[in-house]
Amino acid sequence: MQFDFIKCHGSGNDFPLIDAREIDLDDAVWAGVARALADRRGPVGGDGLLLLTPGDKIHAFGMRMFNSDGSEAETCLNGLRCVARLGFERLGIDRALVRLKTSAAEAARDADIAPGVATIRETAGPADLDVTRWPLGVEAHEIVQQPIALLPTTRSFTAVAMPNPHLVSFVDTVDEAELVAVGEVCEAAPGWLPNRANVSYVEMRPSPPRSETSRESQTNSLFVRTFERGVGLTDSCGSAMAASTFAACLTGRAEFGTELTVFNLGGLVRAQAESDGMVRLSGNATFEWEGSAEVDWERGLAGDLVVARHFDVEIAAWAGVVEAIG
């Protein structure tokens, strides 16, 4: 099977993106396509596969996201921005309500976060604190700044679904080896966490004031490092940045209704959480190149890659953002 796609990324979270509005395939086939195209050892690679899917009477279009292991995620906010941009361009619109697997999200074009960087604003939620819906096998309905005895660490976590499940721990310095160890326990889908969960370690960092004479503009920023369900350690995870922003406000580390800058190894987004659980992210939706490939979905293999063009201006603009934040 041959597929045309765009290689894209949101804050360094990269994906092949297929306009699947007129492609009718079984979920098992799409899972195999995801394993093939997102395989880092293959010709394309990515954190997963994004699909632009048809709309309905309520939604202008939809999005599906398959992780690199073929499992389907409830959402992917970095990916949503890329899907929304493609949907806007194909339909000639600037905003939409987008259908996700188990929910919906609003998306709209936004002011560029940097010159030449296509930027999409997305609003998702409400954040859900009820862990019985994950399910997470602990004797509590909510976990806010509490240790979880079943994990190989004594750190405290806050559990937030966006709507995919996230465990967020605020740390002085990210211990990457420990994060991987905790993430792998969750990834193993133990009986007490059958649907797995994303795990993030988050550093609170002061943002510089906007002027040297005013300290009133001093705010906090977040640095988020995530072990993503179905992917592993990743440079960026949009829903993790949203969950971390909400958790920071919930635990008094930041204020609801205040915009934060959220950094990761892939870049940054602007984020704002509200007390009703809604979280807004504004970030890049960068197209890198477009092409096609042959896919053997049963074996999870891709080949015969043809690259039609590169988006050199966009690539350079985002490289300038990454360089500026060091």
Side-chain angles (χ1 to χ4, degrees):
M1 307 173 80
Q2 185 181 64
F3 292 92
D4 298 324
F5 58 89
I6 295 173
K7 187 67 187 298
C8 58
H9 79 83
S11 196
N13 209 182
D14 66 321
F15 312 90
L17 164 59
I18 295 174
D19 184 345
R21 289 175 297 163
E22 297 183 3
I23 303 176
D24 185 15
L25 295 175
D26 293 339
D27 288 357
V29 178
W30 280 125
V33 174
R35 289 192 297 271
L37 291 180
D39 186 350
R40 295 289 185 189
R41 300 164 299 180
V44 182
D47 287 327
L49 171 68
L50 299 175
L51 304 179
L52 171 65
T53 59
D56 53 32
K57 292 181 179 179
I58 299 175
H59 309 90
F61 50 84
M63 180 192 87
R64 299 185 72 183
M65 186 275 190
F66 290 84
N67 295 311
S68 56
D69 67 354
S71 61
E72 186 172 5
E74 291 91 342
T75 189
C76 172
L77 296 182
N78 284 332
L80 173 60
R81 298 198 302 276
C82 297
V83 172
R85 176 184 170 183
L86 183 61
F88 293 163
E89 292 181 0
R90 296 286 164 92
L91 297 175
I93 58 178
D94 291 325
R95 61 179 57 244
L97 183 64
V98 185
R99 184 181 62 249
L100 307 177
K101 182 182 180 184
T102 60
S103 60
E106 297 178 357
R109 295 188 185 276
D110 202 359
D112 291 351
I113 61 173
V117 176
T119 301
I120 302 295
R121 181 180 70 252
E122 56 196 345
T123 304
D128 187 357
L129 300 178
D130 187 351
V131 298
T132 64
R133 288 195 266 264
W134 292 23
L136 174 56
V138 296
E139 294 182 358
H141 284 268
E142 296 183 1
I143 298 173
V144 179
Q145 291 200 119
Q146 298 174 24
I148 300 174
L150 297 164
L151 295 177
T153 178
T154 58
R155 294 190 190 275
S156 295
F157 289 86
T158 296
V160 182
M162 287 300 308
N164 51 343
H166 290 268
L167 294 172
V168 178
S169 183
F170 293 93
V171 301
D172 293 331
T173 303
V174 171
D175 183 333
E176 199 164 280
E178 182 184 285
L179 172 59
V180 170
V182 175
E184 287 179 342
V185 168
C186 295
E187 185 70 4
W192 51 270
L193 189 62
N195 295 317
R196 305 176 295 171
N198 305 280
V199 183
S200 293
Y201 280 9
V202 182
E203 297 175 15
M204 300 295 301
R205 297 179 176 180
S207 297
R210 295 178 183 177
S211 71
E212 295 181 359
T213 59
S214 174
R215 303 301 297 182
E216 294 181 355
S217 57
Q218 180 88 31
T219 59
N220 285 327
S221 62
L222 309 182
F223 173 77
V224 180
R225 193 78 169 110
T226 301
F227 190 100
E228 186 174 359
R229 180 182 61 170
V231 178
L233 197 62
T234 180
D235 285 352
S236 180
C237 175
S239 59
M241 290 188 286
S244 298
T245 300
F246 181 79
C249 295
L250 183 69
T251 59
R253 292 175 168 85
E255 294 184 8
F256 286 113
T258 299
E259 186 175 272
L260 305 175
T261 301
V262 184
F263 296 94
N264 50 58
L265 293 184
L268 74 147
V269 299
R270 299 189 299 259
Q272 183 169 317
E274 305 295 343
S275 58
D276 63 0
M278 302 305 291
V279 182
R280 185 201 75 211
L281 297 183
S282 290
N284 73 300
T286 299
F287 290 173
E288 295 183 305
W289 52 272
E290 62 180 344
S292 63
E294 287 287 335
V295 172
D296 181 340
W297 68 269
E298 291 180 302
R299 298 169 63 199
L301 298 174
D304 296 331
L305 174 67
V306 176
V307 178
R309 65 163 170 156
H310 287 88
F311 296 85
D312 294 327
V313 174
E314 294 192 36
I315 293 171
W318 184 252
V321 172
V322 175
E323 182 179 359
I325 63 178

